[in-house]
Amino acid sequence: MKYATAQDIMTSEVITVAPEARVEQAAAALLQYRVTCLPVVDAGGNVVGIVSDHDVIGAEGHTAQEIMTTQVITVSPDTSLEEVSHILKHLYRVPVVQAGKLVGLVSRTDLLKRIAQRWTCSVCGALVFDHAAPRLC
């Protein structure tokens, strides 16, 4: 039986910002895409930090690099959802990184969507992931 992983629920098209992006650019991207954080990614695609709406609001710098959080907790694509859910008890979102490169982002909303689609078959007790409860086993 394959257990669900971060890769199964992550958003793979992640809005990012470069370290040299101005704070105003980060604020505009947060608003435009209706997100609460932006991974800061260097030219090689490596995650070097994360800028949240809180960082921008309290900004005491001019660029993403000056205001970003540099100690970013990340997971790999094969991290179990059990571990991801434990991390998301303390954070709102977690970048998914493979070989140092950003490949996705998992938010609490992504996890809630997965939970909302989890059904238990009333006949055999198997877990089924779908938009509606299964009709037959």
Side-chain angles (χ1 to χ4, degrees), residues 10-17 37-39 41 95-96 102-106:
M10 72 182 189
T11 299
S12 56
E13 293 184 24
V14 181
I15 307 303
T16 63
V17 65
C37 80
L38 299 166
V41 178
V96 182
L102 181 69
V103 295
L105 189 81
V106 176

Side-chain angles (χ1 to χ4, degrees), residues 74-134:
T74 63
V75 297
S76 70
D78 61 349
T79 301
S80 73
L81 287 190
E82 181 179 352
E83 186 174 341
V84 171
S85 67
H86 177 71
I87 292 168
L88 292 178
K89 288 179 182 177
H90 308 284
L91 301 173
Y92 291 104
R93 81 287 306 154
V94 62
V96 182
V97 175
Q98 187 168 29
K101 311 284 187 221
L102 181 69
V103 295
L105 189 81
V106 176
S107 69
R108 287 180 177 179
T109 300
D110 295 323
L111 193 55
L112 285 171
K113 286 177 187 175
R114 178 68 176 205
I115 293 168
Q117 294 174 356
R118 181 177 62 199
W119 303 93
T120 303
C121 177
S122 61
V123 177
C124 71
L127 281 179
V128 177
F129 293 93
D130 203 345
H131 295 286

Side-chain angles (χ1 to χ4, degrees), residues 1 5 9 31 41 54 76 86:
M1 175 181 205
T5 63
I9 67 167
L31 288 170
V41 178
H54 293 105
S76 70
H86 177 71

Side-chain angles (χ1 to χ4, degrees), residues 23-24 26-27 30-31 36 51-61 67:
V23 170
E24 295 83 2
L30 289 167
L31 288 170
T36 58
V51 172
S52 72
D53 50 1
H54 293 105
D55 296 326
V56 171
I57 291 168
E60 291 190 21
I67 67 167

